[in-house]
């Protein structure tokens, strides 16, 4: 993922880094900045929501709600140099609210989760199996950490902040999850 | 299977799952929230009169008719007589899309009238959304799909309703919304509004629309126009774009004031005159782009060029494996894949804008990188010739090579492109064989700008087997020798050069660094570690740390944190200090343990003040 970012920087229109000032521009109503933020962060927000909710439709809703909240709350943002942590805290809270709202359905959810964690619409088999593997072999927390780091290129420090974990915990969980994923995917022939 | 491949796979998988119209839906929701705020006032006013405006039974139909047209702002309101059940809204650009909504203004169904419409809709799921939101989403997707050329554009909105007031209100709401949304997308456009009411003509219009494969709104307009001027044939007009029709209106001097409500803010006739001029100019362009699905799509060669330029390679250096134009959810994307010297490059390029959507490169798996470190030197030669930014991969390799660490032994904790002080460089942190390495690698040349190696106290030394450097003294050791000789702490030193040189058959390290106002230059024997030469000069460029624009040293930041926490440096364990500038604010993030507590500090790198601090029991 970082190599993607790197290569994009060569382009004339580089991918905008997610900074405090970007959020402040959004607070002023600059839709171009909002769009840049969406381009830069939508993947990780969606992936994060998916890793928590295990359901594409819910993840889609959270993606929308997160960006609507960002747009609405940008003016309240306190620049502390941690915009990613802020964004993922919003996304996480929305996810948790949704899980609570679905509380009655928890028993059903178990069955639904495994059912939903199949992504037949992904054309590339390797991509698809990798994503599905995160639901099969990882714990929720491991999956969230891996997703944030892999899809969003979010720094471990910011992940620690957003998930309310210690940096060392995040690091060790990340390495464990990578190991599990490797084992799983290598068993599947990749 | 490596970390990068897992990252890439996940990233690709997730991005494929996100429906293409999400951003449009989000902005549409934002727009409608804004409009609701405004409308809220009106609604209350109306309510106090005992009359509630309702948007019941409104069916929105958005149909598009012409690509890249100019007509300025028109407001045609067609009040044909009735049509029984519900109401319809039409919006025309070139992709034609039809939306139907229920009595609660929620979208029941969205259908594409033509192929472009299908492409625009992709897999957008608008069912159940607010009609205004849906219309905005569709318009947003049209903008994104490149159906507005960014200059002058035309969009026809027609509202069909069983009640004039309903139609009028909805029309105004939607065209306001669309206007705002287009403005937000920086598209200048002409919005033509027409309201269609219950009318006998409508069924005719509908029939006509179906026969001719045009939208109802357009059909209705044509039929009305034909009634005004009998020399015109509806069938002929249907084949014309709105722009061409507008031209006919102009040339025939047809008074459309009774069949169209003209927006008083804009002079239509002036606009039409402009249009007529543009028609002549754009006539050729139009025939060229008559196949709208190809409109704005770059050629395959162009896509190749973009990918190669990005990779910093020439066509002769690569073997193309795959190039195809794909339509992913209405978005046209070139997939370009090629090999060069054992590296596979994989690009996705937006066929409309030429922007790189994603890129990825992989060293072929069958070459075990640790057993063939020569690969590095091949590619590093190229790096020097290229003025481009090297890849993260290359930067990591450069750091590994410098550190004498095998890729398989290293665990990368961070690799980031940083634009500190205007110098593009990679900040690379990794852990290997009991050491924490911290590198700065020039992003253009791949040269090592600075590096730092710290022993990880938790590590049980298993020998220095991995040190592949042939000279007895490693670079980091040479650096340490120079630092200790100079009495400078590594945190204070900024290395500009650490190179192994050969002179008269003697191997030595040339170490240059700056620290607290001085420039140091050392030559250290690579075999014995003896200091062959040392030089210390005042650094003229040096700005004292107290000055507002320069940052304090890492050591100072650490001290500030220790002082604040009331701990002695000697009592500190597991210290990590990181300078962070990429968020636009210069801070040091310092974490450490002392006693049974874990501390986490943020220190302002300019003022040295404690921005935030946390103290927790270490579990």
């Amino acid at each position: 993922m970082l190599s993607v970012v790197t290569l994009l920087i060569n382009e004339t229109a580089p991918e905008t880094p997610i900074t405090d000032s970007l959020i402040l521009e959004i607070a002023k109503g600059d839709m171009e900045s909002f769009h840049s933020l969406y381009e830069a962060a939508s993947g990780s927000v969606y992936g994060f929501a998916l890793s928590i909710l295990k359901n594409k439709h819910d993840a889609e809703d959270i993606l929308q709600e997160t960006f609507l909240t960002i747009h609405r709350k940008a003016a309240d943002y306190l620049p502390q140099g941690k915009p990613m942590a802020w964004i993922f805290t919003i996304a996480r809270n929305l996810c948790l609210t949704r899980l609570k709202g679905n509380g009655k359905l928890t028993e059903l959810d178990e069955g639904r989760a495994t059912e939903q964690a199949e992504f037949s619409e992904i054309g590339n088999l390797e991509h698809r199996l990798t994503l599905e593997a995160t639901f099969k072999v990882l714990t929720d927390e491991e999956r969230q950490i891996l997703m944030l780091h892999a899809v969003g290129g979010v720094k471990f420090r910011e992940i620690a902040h957003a998930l309310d974990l210690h940096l060392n915990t995040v690091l060790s969980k990340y390495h464990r999850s990578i190991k599990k994923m490797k084992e799983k995917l290598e068993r599947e022939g990749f | 299977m490596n970390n990068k491949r897992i990252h890439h796979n996940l990233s690709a998988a997730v991005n494929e799952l996100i429906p293409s119209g999400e951003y449009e839906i989000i902005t549409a929701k934002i727009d409608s929230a804004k409009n609701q705020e405004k409308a809220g006032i009106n609604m209350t006013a109306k309510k106090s009169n005992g009359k509630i405006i309702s948007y019941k039974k409104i069916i929105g139909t958005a149909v598009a008719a012409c690509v890249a047209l100019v007509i300025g702002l028109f407001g045609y309101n067609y009040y044909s007589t009735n049509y029984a059940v519900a109401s319809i809204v039409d919006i025309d650009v070139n992709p034609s899309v039809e939306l139907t909504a229920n009595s609660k203004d929620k979208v029941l169904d969205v259908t594409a009238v033509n192929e472009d419409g299908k492409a625009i809709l992709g897999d957008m799921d608008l069912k159940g959304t607010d009609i205004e939101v849906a219309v905005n989403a569709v318009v947003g997707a049209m903008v994104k799909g490149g159906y507005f050329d960014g200059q002058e554009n035309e969009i026809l909105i027609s509202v069909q309703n069983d009640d004039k007031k309903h139609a009028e209100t909805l029309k105004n709401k939607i065209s306001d919304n669309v206007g705002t949304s287009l403005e937000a997308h920086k598209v200048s456009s002409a919005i033509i509004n027409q309201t269609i009411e219950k009318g006998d003509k409508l069924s005719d219009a509908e029939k006509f629309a179906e026969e001719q494969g045009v939208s109802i709104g357009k059909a209705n307009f044509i039929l009305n126009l034909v009634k005004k001027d009998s020399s015109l044939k509806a069938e002929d007009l249907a084949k014309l774009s709105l722009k061409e029709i507008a031209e006919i209106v102009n040339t025939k001097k047809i008074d459309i004031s009774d069949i169209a409500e003209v927006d008083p803010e804009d002079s239509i006739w002036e606009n039409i005159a402009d249009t007529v001029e543009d028609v002549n100019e754009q006539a050729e362009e139009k025939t060229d782009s008559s196949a709208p699905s190809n409109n704005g799509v770059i050629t395959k060669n162009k896509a190749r060029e973009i990918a190669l330029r990005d990779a910093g390679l020439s066509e002769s250096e690569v073997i193309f494996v795959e190039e195809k134009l794909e339509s992913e959810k209405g978005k046209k994307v070139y997939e370009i894949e090629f090999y060069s010297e054992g590296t596979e490059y994989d690009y996705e390029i937006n066929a409309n804008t030429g922007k790189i959507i994603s890129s990825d490169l992989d060293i072929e798996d069958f070459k075990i990188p640790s057993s063939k470190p020569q690969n590095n030197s091949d590619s590093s030669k190229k790096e020097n010739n290229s003025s481009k930014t090297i890849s993260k991969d290359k930067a990591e390799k450069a750091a590994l090579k410098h550190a004498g660490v095998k890729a398989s032994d290293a665990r990368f904790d961070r690799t980031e492109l940083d634009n500190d002080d205007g110098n593009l460089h990679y900040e690379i942190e990794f852990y290997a064989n009991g050491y924490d390495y911290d590198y700065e690698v020039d992003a253009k040349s791949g040269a090592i700008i600075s590096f730092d190696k710290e022993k990880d106290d938790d590590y049980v030394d298993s020998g220095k087997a991995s040190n592949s450097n042939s000279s007895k003294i490693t670079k980091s050791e040479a650096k340490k020798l120079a630092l200790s000789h100079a009495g400078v702490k590594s945190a204070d030193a900024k290395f500009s050069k650490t190179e192994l040189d050969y002179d008269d058959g003697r191997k030595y390290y040339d170490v240059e660094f700056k620290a607290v106002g001085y420039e140091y230059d050392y030559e250290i024997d690579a075999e014995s570690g003896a200091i062959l030469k040392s030089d210390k000069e005042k650094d003229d460029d040096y700005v004292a740390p107290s000055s507002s624009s320069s940052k304090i040293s890492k050591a100072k930041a650490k001290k500030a944190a220790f002082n604040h926490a009331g701990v002695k440096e000697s009592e500190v364990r597991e210290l990590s200090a990181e300078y962070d500038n990429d968020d636009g604010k210069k801070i040091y993030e310092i974490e450490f343990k002392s006693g049974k507590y874990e501390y986490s500090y943020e220190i302002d790198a300019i003022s040295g003040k404690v921005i935030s601090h946390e103290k927790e029991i270490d579990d």
Side-chain angles (χ1 to χ4, degrees):
Chain A
M1 183 57 202
L2 273 164
S3 71
V4 173
V5 174
T6 304
L7 287 159
L8 280 170
I9 282 164
N10 289 337
E11 266 300 286
T12 40
E15 187 163 298
T16 321
I18 299 168
T19 59
D20 278 351
S21 52
L22 190 70
I23 310 285
L24 296 176
E25 284 303 309
I26 293 168
K28 284 184 212 155
D30 181 17
M31 286 308 277
E32 215 166 290
S33 298
F34 186 66
H35 191 226
S36 304
L37 180 72
Y38 179 83
E39 295 278 311
S42 54
S44 43
V45 169
Y46 180 86
F48 182 52
L50 186 67
S51 65
I52 296 175
L53 300 167
K54 308 174 180 116
N55 173 311
K56 330 182 257 280
H57 302 292
D58 288 345
E60 243 170 68
D61 288 350
I62 297 297
L63 175 63
Q64 290 182 18
E65 286 171 30
T66 302
F67 277 91
L68 288 170
T69 309
I70 289 170
H71 186 265
R72 206 171 53 239
K73 295 266 180 83
D76 301 337
Y77 175 70
L78 293 174
Q80 291 181 321
K82 287 190 166 117
M84 287 302 259
W86 180 64
I87 290 167
F88 291 111
T89 307
I90 291 174
R92 184 165 176 250
N93 287 338
L94 288 167
C95 286
L96 296 181
T97 311
R98 175 154 302 222
L99 282 178
K100 268 183 215 155
N102 290 348
K104 291 170 203 157
L105 296 167
T106 21
E107 285 135 278
L108 290 171
D109 269 351
E110 284 307 306
R112 204 174 61 152
T114 38
E115 223 173 87
Q116 294 281 355
E118 281 178 11
F119 304 101
S120 50
E121 58 271 72
I122 298 171
N124 182 311
L125 186 67
E126 187 180 331
H127 297 171
R128 179 185 159 185
L129 290 176
T130 307
L131 182 61
E132 288 177 2
T134 65
F135 290 94
K136 286 178 185 146
V137 300
L138 302 183
T139 66
D140 284 0
E141 220 159 47
E142 286 168 351
R143 189 183 322 108
Q144 288 162 27
I145 291 166
L146 177 62
M147 204 74 98
L148 283 176
H149 189 64
V151 183
V154 184
K155 286 190 278 182
F156 289 118
R157 207 171 287 279
E158 289 185 296
I159 294 174
H161 201 270
L163 298 185
D164 214 5
L165 293 170
H166 290 302
L167 179 62
N168 288 344
T169 316
V170 171
L171 279 172
S172 64
K173 280 185 195 286
Y174 168 75
H175 290 297
R176 197 176 314 135
S177 65
I178 281 283
K179 205 175 146 211
K180 284 193 199 169
M181 289 293 287
K182 273 183 195 166
E183 280 165 8
K184 169 76 177 165
L185 290 168
E186 273 158 17
R187 267 205 308 280
E188 289 184 357
F190 289 105
Chain B
M1 189 53 63
N2 56 26
N3 294 16
K4 188 177 286 172
R5 205 156 137 200
I6 292 172
H7 285 188
H8 166 76
N9 288 350
L10 273 181
S11 191
V14 164
N15 282 309
E16 199 169 327
L17 282 177
I18 300 178
S20 59
E22 286 296 287
Y23 182 71
E24 283 69 30
I25 294 176
I26 290 165
T27 49
K29 281 186 174 171
I30 290 172
D31 289 346
S32 87
K34 275 185 206 153
N35 281 308
Q36 264 166 30
E37 272 173 41
K38 282 185 216 155
I41 304 158
N42 293 336
M43 294 281 277
T44 355
K46 292 270 154 63
K47 266 181 191 165
S48 62
N49 284 341
K51 257 192 169 182
I52 299 162
I53 298 262
S54 75
Y55 308 118
K56 281 176 189 167
K57 292 187 197 162
I58 288 169
I59 294 177
T61 316
V63 202
C66 319
V67 198
L69 293 193
V70 203
I71 306 207
L73 257 148
F74 291 80
Y76 300 99
N77 286 311
Y78 289 93
Y79 304 131
S80 348
T81 13
N82 67 77
Y83 181 49
V85 208
S87 22
I88 298 173
V89 190
D90 288 278
I91 301 177
D92 286 54
V93 181
N94 185 30
S96 300
V97 176
E98 191 164 289
L99 301 108
T100 52
N102 69 5
S103 60
K104 284 175 188 159
D105 279 358
K106 299 292 177 202
V107 174
L108 293 171
D109 198 15
V110 184
T111 40
V113 177
N114 59 13
E115 282 301 310
D116 283 340
K118 261 184 215 163
I120 281 302
L121 283 180
D123 61 353
M124 249 199 267
D125 185 9
L126 296 169
K127 280 181 198 171
T129 55
D130 191 273
I131 181 74
E132 290 171 62
V133 169
V135 169
N136 279 349
V138 170
V139 170
M142 286 171 178
V143 173
K144 210 174 178 190
Y147 289 103
F148 295 91
D149 64 359
Q151 293 161 17
E152 291 163 283
N153 312 284
E154 185 187 73
I155 182 164
L156 171 65
I157 304 172
S158 355
V159 178
Q160 189 184 320
N161 196 337
D162 59 348
D163 175 303
K164 180 182 168 183
K165 212 175 238 170
H166 288 178
E168 196 53 27
T169 320
L170 191 67
K171 183 211 76 186
N172 288 338
K173 274 180 85 174
I174 287 177
S175 52
D176 274 5
N177 252 334
V178 168
T180 323
S181 147
L182 287 177
E183 219 168 86
H185 287 106
K186 302 223 149 71
V187 171
S188 70
S189 77
I191 301 173
I192 302 170
N193 296 318
Q194 58 178 358
T195 314
I196 306 160
E197 259 193 292
K198 311 174 172 187
D200 299 332
K201 294 293 162 295
L202 202 65
S203 45
D204 294 346
E206 248 184 350
K207 229 182 273 168
F208 182 71
E210 220 173 274
E211 281 165 19
Q212 301 294 325
V214 298
S215 74
I216 297 171
K218 186 174 175 181
N220 190 64
F221 180 42
I222 289 169
L223 291 180
N224 275 305
L225 198 61
V226 171
K227 272 207 305 190
K228 299 216 51 133
D229 189 324
S230 53
S231 73
L232 295 171
K233 266 196 174 164
E235 286 77 11
D236 295 341
L237 290 176
K239 293 186 188 85
L240 300 178
S241 68
L242 283 187
K243 185 178 186 176
E244 288 161 329
I245 296 169
E247 196 191 352
I248 289 168
V249 170
N250 186 50
T251 47
K252 289 197 162 270
K253 300 220 185 315
I254 304 168
D255 177 17
I256 54 168
S257 60
D258 59 334
I259 57 166
E261 190 185 12
V262 174
D263 192 318
E265 282 178 33
D266 271 272
S267 152
I268 332 166
W269 297 110
E270 217 174 279
N271 283 321
I272 287 188
D274 284 346
T275 312
V276 173
E277 273 173 43
D278 288 337
V279 168
N280 298 331
E281 284 169 22
Q282 290 178 7
E284 282 165 39
E285 257 180 69
K286 271 207 74 183
T287 41
D288 287 347
S289 59
S290 58
S293 54
N294 286 333
N295 194 24
V297 172
I298 60 169
T299 63
K300 194 182 276 182
N301 278 340
K302 183 76 190 159
R304 259 190 194 196
E305 225 174 80
I306 291 166
L308 285 172
R309 198 178 59 217
D310 185 81
L313 294 167
S314 71
E315 200 153 349
S316 59
E317 291 173 280
V318 305
I319 304 154
F320 284 96
V321 184
E322 195 178 358
E323 296 153 284
K324 57 181 178 194
L325 181 60
E326 283 197 331
S327 195
E328 284 184 8
K329 299 159 194 162
K331 209 158 68 176
K332 290 193 170 57
V333 172
Y334 276 107
E335 291 205 349
I336 310 270
E337 215 177 303
F338 52 87
Y339 278 90
S340 180
E341 295 186 31
T343 306
E344 185 197 324
Y345 296 80
D346 212 330
Y347 281 86
E348 279 185 11
I349 293 167
N350 183 321
N352 289 108
T353 63
K355 204 180 159 187
I356 296 173
I357 300 166
S358 77
S359 61
D360 184 54
L361 78 174
D362 269 315
I363 307 295
E364 281 295 80
D365 286 330
F366 52 80
K367 283 182 189 166
I368 305 151
S370 52
S371 70
K372 286 203 169 189
Q374 293 94 319
N375 282 351
N376 293 350
S377 53
D378 282 9
S379 47
S380 57
K381 253 181 232 160
K382 209 181 292 151
E383 285 158 22
N384 294 335
N385 298 337
S386 161
S387 62
K388 300 249 105 190
T389 312
I390 62 165
S391 69
K392 174 197 161 208
D393 204 43
K394 282 184 179 171
E396 284 182 354
K397 276 196 183 146
L400 285 176
K401 199 182 167 199
H402 182 273
V405 168
K406 280 189 214 164
S408 54
D409 291 338
R411 183 193 81 197
F412 282 93
D413 291 334
R414 188 168 100 115
T415 302
E416 273 174 16
L417 195 58
D418 207 335
N419 199 355
D420 196 358
D421 314 320
N423 283 328
L424 218 51
H425 65 265
Y426 284 96
E427 284 199 21
I428 302 174
E429 287 178 13
F430 61 95
Y431 169 89
N433 308 318
Y435 287 93
D436 283 321
Y437 294 84
D438 198 336
Y439 272 84
E440 285 185 16
V441 177
D442 189 294
K444 290 213 168 75
S445 66
I448 308 294
I449 300 168
S450 79
F451 65 93
D452 194 9
K453 184 181 170 186
E454 268 179 38
K455 200 159 175 66
D456 186 333
D457 295 330
D458 300 335
Y459 181 73
V460 184
D461 198 355
S462 62
K464 288 185 176 178
S466 70
N467 201 329
S468 66
N469 204 318
S470 61
S471 42
K472 283 182 183 150
I473 306 282
T474 64
K475 274 191 189 181
S476 50
E477 283 167 349
K479 202 194 71 170
K480 273 192 182 159
L481 285 168
L483 284 176
S484 70
H485 183 270
V488 168
K489 281 184 199 154
S490 66
D492 292 338
K494 181 134 183 141
F495 284 84
S496 49
K497 189 177 170 188
T498 311
E499 273 172 13
L500 192 57
D501 269 357
Y502 297 84
D503 199 5
D504 303 326
R506 176 139 62 171
K507 269 202 220 171
Y508 65 90
Y509 284 101
D510 194 352
V511 181
E512 288 178 17
F513 58 93
K514 286 182 182 182
V516 258
Y518 288 95
E519 279 182 318
Y520 296 85
D521 195 344
Y522 277 85
E523 287 182 6
I524 292 166
D525 191 297
E527 297 297 326
S528 67
I531 290 169
L532 304 173
K533 178 193 147 192
S534 69
D535 193 7
K536 183 180 172 184
E537 266 177 36
K538 239 196 150 42
D539 180 8
D540 296 330
D541 300 331
Y542 181 69
V543 189
S546 56
S547 138
S548 64
S549 64
S550 81
K551 57 176 174 127
I552 61 164
S553 70
K554 201 178 259 187
K556 263 200 170 169
K558 284 180 196 168
K559 230 172 242 168
F562 299 157
N563 284 342
H564 186 277
V567 300
K568 284 183 197 151
E569 192 159 1
S570 57
E571 296 167 341
V572 165
R573 314 187 303 275
E574 294 185 49
L575 172 67
S576 86
E578 195 181 321
Y579 173 61
D580 203 350
N581 183 33
D582 45 5
D583 298 321
K585 190 161 184 180
K586 296 173 163 61
I587 53 167
Y588 284 103
E589 293 181 320
I590 295 168
E591 294 187 355
F592 56 91
K593 289 179 181 172
S594 181
K596 56 181 174 143
Y597 293 104
E598 178 170 342
Y599 297 83
S600 173
Y601 275 85
E602 285 187 340
I603 309 287
D604 188 316
I606 306 297
S607 68
K609 278 187 188 149
V610 174
I611 298 171
S612 75
H613 60 95
E614 274 172 39
K615 181 180 174 183
E616 281 171 18
I617 298 206
D618 179 20
D619 39 31

